[in-house]
Amino acid sequence: MRTLSVIALLASAALPAAAQQPTRTLIKPLAEYGEPFSQIAAVRELKDGRLLVVDSRDKIVQLVNLTANSASKVGREGSGPGEYGLPTQLFALPGDSSVIFDPLNQRYLMVLPDGKPGVSFRVGDEPSGSPRPPQGQRPEGGGQVMRIGGLGFGLPRATDARGRLYFEGGGISMGPNGPVTADTAPIVRYDRATKAVDTVAWVNLPKHNASVKSSGSGGNQRMEVRIGGRTPYPARDAWTVLPNGTVVIARVGDYHLDLVSPTRVVTRGAAVAFTAVKVGNAEKQEYRDQSKNAGGISITRNEGGPGGSQTRASTAPPPFEEPAEWPSAKPPFNATGIFATPAGEIWVARNRSASDPTPTYDVFSTTGKLTGKVVLPKQTRVIGFGAGGTVYTIRVDDDDLQYLQRFRG
């Protein structure tokens, strides 16, 4: 029997930090949905103002009307038509349609504009091995993209206005003796219409971002690949995609934005000044507390056993392990907190000290220029955007329950 276990941790990182820049302050939400969620993974605003909301811990997708404070369930848990085993991400497609990423069933479920589930599809394997960038664009340390959950492109992260899917490789290279960790990962673009696959850019990963463990021998082997969640306050690049297909990368080295056009022309933004937040005892305890309540995805596939191939999933956080070493400082931004608005603004969540309760986002123009700051209420963070400057946030209460809010940005 051969067992493959893949754990892709979506750990809740530190909330963003305030900085000395002109700011807009969001004080009171226009609306807040009355029922709490366990773990909001994604939201998507439809043209009529209703919201598709994915709760990955409860394994449920809902169509929420914030104005009426009502909701209806979209699809159901399962592996049949109109069903999902583990909804984790939600992306916009043309025509007000949407798509849910379901790693447990290794497929995508379409959601129609009226909120009804549509057909499911799988992203096809690339024609000849893992995708590679054009000549001269492959950095040192980059390897082939490891297949994760049957997907040769890594994990999906975004779509553009044409409905092309964008993925990040898992930071694992396939060497002659099996998988090894890599210090970079590709951003891969997949065109659903033409089936074309190409690599747009590469991002830098933190040290010890991934680990590979093997056990057993012969026909009873187990391989566990763990991606993310191993480094406190990881210093890594962050990225998102604008509606026109421009990939925006926040570079952690000197904190600037690289804007990569659909034809791979790179525009470099100016470096943003920041004061490093030192990691002291309070920040260490903050990390421990957040890790205990972190969201995660654990997918285990057993192949060749008595019961045939089986796949299981869990969203419970893994057991906490005290880090072997701590960084001296937090990176300038939260790598999970970069967003693109429908109008093309880029929001980046700033890291802050454990004693700072004020979430703050840097706001950049479509040219990568810092244009201002946005300050949120305590215990909130951005989860998405809608038309007309609408901002959607998550408010976390003292019991770690999450409430969905709408602001006018």
Side-chain angles (χ1 to χ4, degrees):
M1 179 180 69
R2 180 176 177 84
T3 303
L4 173 63
S5 174
V6 178
I7 300 177
L9 300 179
L10 304 180
S12 299
L15 295 178
Q20 299 301 316
Q21 294 287 342
T23 62
R24 291 176 279 165
T25 302
L26 307 185
I27 300 175
K28 185 178 180 180
L30 299 175
E32 179 179 285
Y33 185 57
E35 295 296 323
F37 297 87
S38 296
Q39 184 179 310
I40 301 176
V43 302
R44 193 265 165 120
E45 183 188 80
L46 301 179
K47 288 183 178 179
D48 62 8
R50 293 182 299 172
L51 293 170
L52 286 169
V53 183
V54 172
D55 188 323
S56 59
R57 182 162 294 176
D58 289 342
K59 300 180 183 179
I60 189 173
V61 181
Q62 296 186 70
L63 186 60
V64 175
N65 187 325
L66 281 178
T67 303
N69 197 40
S70 62
S72 59
K73 190 175 180 180
V74 177
R76 62 183 181 181
E77 186 177 351
S79 57
E83 297 177 341
Y84 38 77
L86 180 63
T88 59
Q89 291 296 323
L90 176 68
F91 304 106
L93 292 180
D96 211 27
S97 295
S98 309
V99 64
I100 298 167
F101 175 52
D102 177 10
L104 182 59
N105 289 320
Q106 300 182 27
R107 68 187 189 187
Y108 297 77
L109 174 64
M110 297 279 292
V111 181
L112 304 178
D114 60 2
K116 303 296 183 182
V119 299
S120 297
F121 67 90
R122 287 184 170 89
V123 173
D125 289 342
E126 58 273 25
S128 56
S130 298
R132 290 179 173 271
Q135 183 70 26
Q137 292 194 15
R138 193 175 188 80
E140 287 295 323
Q144 289 187 337
V145 182
M146 184 178 177
R147 294 171 58 85
I148 295 179
L151 299 175
F153 310 143
L155 301 174
R157 291 292 187 90
T159 57
D160 61 23
R162 291 172 53 181
R164 293 178 294 189
L165 290 163
Y166 294 77
F167 302 80
E168 179 177 305
I172 299 289
S173 297
M174 291 303 297
N177 299 317
V180 294
T181 60
D183 57 5
T184 57
I187 299 175
V188 178
R189 177 174 56 198
Y190 174 71
D191 192 318
R192 294 173 49 241
T194 65
K195 311 301 181 186
V197 179
D198 60 345
T199 299
V200 183
W202 289 80
V203 290
N204 298 303
L205 302 177
K207 295 181 179 179
H208 312 301
N209 177 71
S211 65
V212 180
K213 296 181 180 179
S214 299
S215 60
S217 61
N220 186 17
Q221 294 181 350
R222 175 182 178 87
M223 181 175 67
E224 181 180 279
V225 181
R226 178 173 292 184
I227 302 169
R230 292 178 52 81
T231 305
Y233 307 116
R236 60 149 294 162
D237 294 343
W239 64 277
T240 187
V241 179
L242 299 182
N244 67 358
T246 296
V247 175
V248 180
I249 306 173
R251 299 295 187 184
V252 74
D254 61 354
Y255 187 20
H256 74 274
L257 297 189
D258 279 347
L259 285 79
V260 186
S261 76
T263 57
R264 302 186 191 86
V265 176
V266 180
T267 300
R268 179 187 173 100
V272 178
F274 67 93
T275 300
V277 176
K278 295 182 178 180
V279 175
N281 290 332
E283 285 70 34
K284 293 178 182 179
Q285 188 59 47
E286 174 190 53
Y287 175 79
R288 296 184 187 104
D289 294 341
Q290 291 172 351
S291 296
K292 294 176 183 178
N293 296 313
I297 304 171
S298 175
I299 304 171
T300 303
R301 176 179 293 268
N302 297 323
E303 298 180 353
S309 298
Q310 296 180 351
T311 304
R312 296 185 178 89
S314 171
T315 56
F320 175 74
E321 297 178 6
E322 185 73 14
E325 60 179 313
W326 294 87
S328 60
K330 293 182 180 181
F333 53 80
N334 180 345
T336 65
I338 184 169
F339 298 89
T341 73
E345 279 188 337
I346 302 118
W347 288 37
V348 180
R350 291 297 295 265
N351 276 326
R352 66 180 190 270
S353 69
S355 62
D356 185 351
T358 309
T360 304
Y361 287 71
D362 289 337
V363 180
F364 296 83
S365 69
T366 55
T367 62
K369 180 181 178 180
L370 180 66
T371 59
K373 305 281 183 180
V374 175
V375 177
L376 270 61
K378 299 176 183 178
Q379 296 298 103
T380 62
R381 59 185 173 88
V382 171
I383 188 62
F385 294 86
T390 302
V391 183
Y392 292 99
T393 66
I394 298 171
R395 178 179 67 84
V396 182
D397 69 9
D398 293 337
D399 296 320
D400 292 319
L401 295 174
Q402 299 183 357
Y403 291 83
L404 183 62
Q405 300 177 314
R406 174 190 285 147
F407 283 89
R408 183 69 65 192

